[in-house]
Amino acid sequence: MCGFFCIISSNQINLESSKKSLDLIKHRGPDSQKYFLGKDNRVFFGFNRLSVVDLSDKADQPMQDRKSQRIIVFNGEIYNHCKLRDFLTTKNYIFDTFSDTEVILKAYDYWGDSLLEHLEGMFSIVIYDPLANKIFFARDRAGEKPLYFYQNKEKFYLSSEIKPIHHCSKNKDISFEALNNYFEKGFVPKNLTMLNGIQKLKAGHKAILDLNLLELKISRYWNLDKHISQSTKINNKEDNYYINKLEELLGNAVESQLVADVPVGIMLSGGVDSSLIVATASKYFDKLNTYTMTFPKMKKYDESKHAQLIAKKFKTNHVELSADEVEPEIFYKLVKHYDEPMVDSSMIPTFLLCKEVQKNCKVALGGDGADELFGGYSEYNRYNYLSNLQKFFPNPLRASLINLALTILPKNIKGRKTLDLFGKDIKNLDFNGANLFDYEMRKKLFNDDSYLRRSSQDKKVVSKDLIKSLTYEDYNNYLSEDILVKVDRASMAASLELRSPFLDSEITKFAFVEVPSHLKVHKNQRKILPKMLAKKMLPNNFNYLRKQGFGFPVNELFRSGKWHDFLYDKINSENNYFLDKVYCKQLLRNQSKGDNLGESLFAIALFLIWSEVYVN
């Protein structure tokens, strides 16, 4: 788990400036820093290493293969690298290290670009091939590890974070398309970033930069949607088949991800997902280290008793970390490490927890991904219910009646949003769980109409099955652009490697191709299959009906006191060029009167701090 920064230039590279840019992501890899400078000082590969597997200097990066002369920088972890090394050894490849980095280099030599089909893990990879004069780079299937790039007339940059590119390019131009997506959906989707020109390589994609022609070709290698859309088999096996298979696949994933040459811990929220990770890991470790965040003065958000139940059952070394007093100045720390804003207040407890866990461990496992794979969000129940109800009320009559009702009913009436959804075609609707500021609200939010755009999202109906389409859309959007960004930046800010066993490719394929939707969402139930497995593995008195995960009391904090005053001052600041001050202060007043606009206010606060640091 590390950080890289690469420059390919038509002119000689300024080495000192490049090293300063690399220093900006030192937190991703504090154990060593090395660089490669080649081809008449026109290629720079810099690397900060967090040593997790094969702690020797031989495993440092950039790593060069003596025979092919290829250079690699790689951020992530390949969980099946031992099996791949064994196979490649039979093909007469000789290894100098026990690192997964060297395995990738040899695998690229043997399989070429198709090596990605053989890798199990989280990764962003950059390989420079001086003999072929090309750069190959790729990102893992789910998007656990980031990869940014930027090109101008003289240089091509690649980096694990935006900071080094921003430092070199001095780019301060906001992408208005990204801005609109952020305020509506809470994140910047797919290849966009908040800064014009700086792009993300999409999850599950690979690219080749031809240095002779200066042509960049990007293609997709992870085509799970094809398997979903072509799957016509009716999965009507007994429930025990799915329970046992999930248990087997999760066991394989957890066992492989517990392997490290440094101490390993588990992030335990006390919810189903992280509890299943603990229960599974206890089969392989006698004494696990588990960690949870507590809010002693805010019992609504304090789930420590549920985590204690799991810790006691599986006899873990359990540590509770208190987050009672969080100052609003934490926004500056978040902006420093996240590089662009995203609306997920749970980044704060995740950020704080990672800082504490790193004091005892270099590696931790978490339960991320299970909600998207197995139907864990309450919105799925509502969409499913409305879709079934629509069968009895045909369009367009239904839409006309609903639109008429919405013009008559008060704007703040309870259930208005559900009624609005009922009037639309649920199966072909852009699913947006955040729904922060719609187009009309953004008209009021922005102080300049030129900022307004219709936001975009990669929407694909991969199946006639609504739940399958909704969960897969969240897997491709919300998971990769929110959840995984949150955990990567929070963990890397603390120099902690955070692994997600549920995102193993075999579990992902099983969830989307095999598991029937009635074992994900049915009536008022959700995440049914993992809960079935939990009933087999967890204590009998485990509570399945409560709020789960690392929540944060953002609604309460913005009602009054330090957080309220902090945001009010930022809204009024002369640095606030983008947002309408009157409208923002009205939202803050509404919050003080009892509205629950916490996440929307969080979005405003984080954007204002980000623009102050990155743009002004």
Side-chain angles (χ1 to χ4, degrees), residues 263-319:
V264 179
I266 298 179
M267 310 280 257
L268 177 60
S269 70
V272 169
D273 310 330
S274 60
S275 298
L276 280 175
I277 300 295
V278 172
T280 304
S282 68
K283 298 177 182 179
Y284 308 104
F285 270 42
D286 291 333
K287 204 68 175 176
L288 297 168
N289 298 309
T290 55
Y291 304 85
T292 195
M293 184 66 71
T294 69
F295 296 91
K297 295 181 182 177
M298 295 186 179
K299 297 299 182 183
K300 178 182 175 182
Y301 296 89
D302 191 349
E303 301 202 328
S304 57
K305 66 177 183 180
H306 305 290
Q308 289 166 8
L309 176 68
I310 299 302
K312 183 177 179 181
K313 166 69 176 178
F314 297 102
K315 300 177 182 178
T316 72
N317 296 315
H318 189 58
V319 179

Side-chain angles (χ1 to χ4, degrees), residues 533-551:
L533 177 58
K535 287 176 182 177
K536 179 180 178 180
M537 301 181 72
L538 302 185
N540 293 333
N541 56 340
F542 184 84
N543 185 350
Y544 296 91
L545 302 178
R546 60 194 173 76
K547 178 188 75 68
Q548 298 173 11
F550 293 112

Side-chain angles (χ1 to χ4, degrees), residues 328-527:
E329 284 73 20
I330 196 171
F331 280 109
Y332 284 98
K333 294 181 180 179
L334 296 175
V335 163
K336 175 185 176 182
H337 289 289
Y338 280 80
D339 284 352
E340 56 181 346
M342 53 171 282
V343 189
D344 190 336
S345 61
S346 67
M347 67 167 63
I348 293 177
T350 305
F351 181 84
L352 297 173
L353 185 59
C354 287
K355 287 285 187 184
E356 294 301 318
V357 171
Q358 194 275 340
K359 294 176 181 178
N360 300 294
C361 301
K362 260 193 174 182
V363 174
L365 274 59
D368 298 301
D371 285 321
E372 292 78 13
L373 297 182
F374 296 104
Y377 297 122
S378 59
E379 287 86 353
Y380 299 147
N381 297 106
R382 178 167 60 170
Y383 275 69
N384 200 39
Y385 170 75
L386 291 175
S387 178
N388 290 328
L389 193 62
Q390 284 181 349
K391 297 173 185 177
F392 303 100
F393 298 90
N395 236 349
L397 178 61
R398 180 186 73 249
S400 299
L401 291 173
I402 296 299
N403 288 335
L404 178 61
L406 290 173
T407 60
I408 299 171
L409 293 171
K411 295 288 185 182
N412 60 348
I413 191 172
K414 187 176 181 180
R416 183 184 176 91
K417 183 178 177 182
T418 299
L419 188 64
D420 184 28
L421 284 171
F422 185 58
K424 297 176 180 177
D425 183 2
I426 295 291
K427 290 190 175 180
N428 291 298
L429 192 66
D430 276 351
F431 176 57
N432 175 19
N435 196 33
L436 296 165
F437 296 90
D438 62 22
Y439 186 76
E440 294 302 318
M441 293 170 73
R442 294 199 304 278
K443 280 185 179 180
K444 300 175 184 178
L445 180 66
F446 299 147
N447 64 15
D448 190 330
D449 287 345
S450 66
Y451 302 160
L452 274 171
R453 301 287 189 279
R454 295 285 182 183
S455 60
S456 62
Q457 184 171 342
D458 283 1
K459 162 75 175 171
K460 283 190 175 182
V461 180
V462 296
S463 172
K464 293 180 179 179
D465 184 318
L466 177 65
I467 296 302
K468 188 171 286 189
S469 280
L470 290 176
T471 52
Y472 191 58
E473 188 171 330
D474 265 348
Y475 172 84
N476 279 319
N477 289 283
Y478 181 61
L479 176 70
S480 63
E481 311 305 337
D482 182 305
I483 302 297
L484 296 180
V485 175
K486 175 184 70 177
V487 298
D488 174 78
R489 303 308 187 277
S491 58
M492 288 281 75
S495 305
L496 174 74
E497 179 175 296
L498 189 53
R499 303 173 177 180
S500 303
F502 276 107
L503 293 178
D504 178 272
S505 66
E506 292 302 315
I507 296 178
T508 303
K509 285 186 283 188
F510 169 67
F512 285 119
V513 178
E514 283 198 64
V515 178
S517 287
H518 74 265
L519 289 182
K520 295 183 180 182
V521 177
H522 183 66
K523 294 185 178 178
N524 65 338
Q525 300 179 68
R526 56 185 178 272
K527 205 153 56 178

